[in-house]
Amino acid sequence: MGCCSGRCTLIFLCTFQLVTALERQVFDFLGYQWAPILATFTHIVVVILGLFGTIQYRPRYIVVYAVWAAAWVTWNVFIICFYLEVGGLSKDSGLLTFRLSWHHSWWHEHGPGCVHKEPAASLGPPDSQALVPGIGCTLEHGYVEALHSALQILVALVGFICACHVASVVTEEEDGFDFICGFDPFPLCHVSEKPSSLSLEQACL
């Protein structure tokens, strides 16, 4: 029963992670955030792998998911530090776009309560629209991104614990499985290695 509840919890967590990762991927694409796009794409692939391993009793896939969950926590801690400008990081730098464009987070202009302001016509670069922040935002875009990452960290930590538990239980079940008599520690079936006395008597006759 414990194994079933652990597997069901992990399946739910993986499904929830897929939904939140797809939502985050959409907004990263809208903001042309190439580094988060690549990281989130890898996350989606590994979560699908972990979901498959949980359903099909594949402990190796579950272990891969657990290892990635730890890496995913580290990545999201970096994202929080980046947008809150901890340790000399600047959210206005082009680090997350690989310096290929001047785009910022999509929430920079479209955050909660923001009033979008169109830039005045100029001879500037075509990316100039991305430099105009929203006006009167209820929540600054750095905090919105940090909250997204905090949610990912919380779910990944719970997923890591569940994955370790499920992987250990599935591995123990595989080690204790008897391919002739199943999981029964005292099997009823017995293969006799002694020759039959009846066949010996028949040979004498």
Side-chain angles (χ1 to χ4, degrees), residues 92-204:
D92 293 326
S93 67
L95 187 62
L96 297 185
T97 60
F98 297 137
R99 305 187 187 278
L100 298 177
S101 67
W102 292 103
H103 289 88
H104 296 280
S105 167
W106 184 83
W107 301 102
H108 188 252
E109 301 176 17
H110 305 86
C114 292
V115 178
H116 185 65
K117 178 183 177 182
E118 295 293 340
S122 64
L123 299 178
D127 290 341
S128 58
Q129 288 190 357
L131 300 176
V132 179
I135 301 174
C137 298
T138 305
L139 194 62
E140 200 265 342
H141 75 281
Y143 294 108
V144 176
E145 293 285 0
L147 287 175
H148 272 84
S149 293
L151 175 63
Q152 294 293 328
I153 290 173
L154 178 62
V155 179
L157 287 174
V158 178
F160 174 80
I161 296 172
C162 288
C164 292
H165 170 69
V166 173
S168 63
V169 171
V170 172
T171 303
E172 288 176 2
E173 288 182 352
E174 285 186 348
D175 293 341
F177 183 77
D178 188 331
F179 288 96
I180 298 177
C181 303
F183 289 101
D184 191 355
F186 303 102
L188 298 176
C189 58
H190 179 70
V191 179
S192 176
E193 297 180 358
K194 297 181 180 180
S196 173
S197 58
L198 180 59
S199 61
L200 182 61
E201 292 176 358
Q202 290 178 350
C204 293

